[in-house]
């Protein structure tokens, strides 16, 4: 278990190592060691979970400039069904889940959570 003090010290050392790296010094091994310490502490103390499926769908819709009716056409369903899903009145069917994965490139882990 990495302590907060070790984490802070590792961050300070990382800054120092990055400056040395810019000056041409070979600090690769220590840079990896310090980065590992930081990563382990952050994974244990500040885990980042998966985003919700609705957040990812909304993001993809924004990226693809889709409205709910456009999403319905893309997924092969009705606008009413998409509206019900967004309002939480209907669960996502298996066929829509497959379409989300294939057509919107949404990771299956996010869909199945």
């Amino acid at each position: 278990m990495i302590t907060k003090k070790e984490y802070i010290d590792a961050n300070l050392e990382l800054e120092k190592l990055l400056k040395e790296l810019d000056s041409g010094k070979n600090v690769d091994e220590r840079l990896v060691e310090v980065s590992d310490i930081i990563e382990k502490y952050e994974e244990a103390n500040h885990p980042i979970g998966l985003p919700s499926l609705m957040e990812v769908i909304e993001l993809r819709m924004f990226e693809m400039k889709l409205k709910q009716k456009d999403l319905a056409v893309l997924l092969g369903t009705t606008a009413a069904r998409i509206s019900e899903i967004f309002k939480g009145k209907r669960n996502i069917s298996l066929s829509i889940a497959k379409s989300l994965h294939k057509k919107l490139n949404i990771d299956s882990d996010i869909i199945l959570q």
Side-chain angles (χ1 to χ4, degrees):
M1 183 80 164
I2 297 167
T3 67
K4 188 170 185 174
K5 182 182 180 335
E6 290 171 322
Y7 171 72
I8 291 170
D9 290 345
N11 273 288
L12 293 172
E13 186 175 354
L14 177 65
E15 287 182 35
K16 181 179 159 188
L17 290 170
L18 290 173
K19 288 177 185 173
E20 290 178 15
L21 186 64
D22 287 340
S23 69
K25 290 186 180 178
N26 186 3
V27 293
D28 293 345
E29 285 184 35
R30 185 61 186 151
L31 195 59
V32 170
E33 292 169 2
V34 169
S35 296
D36 287 345
I37 292 169
I38 293 169
E39 179 183 12
K40 288 175 185 172
Y41 180 86
E42 289 178 351
E43 284 177 353
N45 295 286
H46 306 288
I48 298 174
L50 292 175
S52 75
L53 177 56
M54 295 312 297
E55 290 172 334
V56 176
I57 292 171
E58 289 172 353
L59 175 63
R60 291 293 194 269
M61 287 175 64
F62 174 78
E63 291 172 343
M64 299 171 76
K65 297 176 177 49
L66 298 174
K67 295 181 179 159
Q68 283 188 14
K69 64 181 179 181
D70 303 323
L71 180 64
V73 171
L74 183 66
L75 299 179
T77 190
T78 64
R81 178 158 289 163
I82 294 297
S83 179
E84 290 173 346
I85 291 170
F86 272 86
K87 290 178 182 177
K89 294 181 179 179
R90 180 182 290 270
N91 290 326
I92 292 175
S93 68
L94 181 58
S95 64
I96 291 177
K98 286 179 182 179
S99 293
L100 289 169
H101 177 67
K102 289 180 183 176
K103 296 182 180 176
L104 296 183
N105 195 29
I106 297 177
D107 189 274
S108 58
D109 288 342
I110 294 171
I111 295 171
L112 295 174
Q113 69 179 322

